[in-house]
Amino acid sequence: MAVQTRPDTFAALRDCFATDLAALIGDQTPRSTTPNAFIDLVEEARDVLGTSSLGNWQDASEDLHRAVGYLADALTSPLSDQASLMARARTHLRGGIATAS
């Protein structure tokens, strides 16, 4: 049985954070609007920041790593669990971007 996701919530997170994440990694190319494409962007930002020798970027990478976990879990969780997972992802996305900036 396929699990439904809340595409509107993924879209809201993407709209809120994708530009900042792309700027962190110097990516100007438009990406797909799917939840998986957004998770890929967060993973790429996480990986780029994680390879830095700057402590704040490594801390930001850890926040983004946590966000990826919550986003991935939200894709496979029942609708009733998705809101809390997305809220946790949002907290870590916000924290990671703020730490890296």
Side-chain angles (χ1 to χ4, degrees):
M1 178 173 101
V3 175
Q4 288 184 322
T5 60
R6 296 178 188 259
D8 56 329
T9 307
F10 271 92
L13 286 178
R14 182 191 64 244
D15 292 348
C16 187
F17 296 110
T19 301
D20 291 333
L21 289 167
L24 287 173
I25 59 174
D27 188 359
Q28 300 299 320
T29 56
R31 297 191 181 229
S32 170
T33 59
T34 66
N36 285 328
F38 179 65
I39 293 171
D40 289 345
L41 175 62
V42 178
E43 287 176 326
E44 187 175 345
R46 174 203 64 198
D47 294 345
V48 167
L49 295 174
T51 61
S52 171
S53 61
L54 299 173
N56 63 317
W57 278 23
Q58 291 175 351
D59 292 343
S61 177
E62 291 176 20
D63 264 330
L64 296 181
H65 177 75
R66 289 182 187 98
V68 165
Y70 289 122
L71 291 169
D73 287 348
L75 283 179
T76 59
S77 295
L79 284 173
S80 61
D81 296 336
Q82 288 179 18
S84 65
L85 292 167
M86 298 295 274
R88 289 178 181 166
R90 182 182 64 240
T91 297
H92 289 290
L93 287 165
R94 187 180 306 124
I97 291 169
T99 300
S101 299

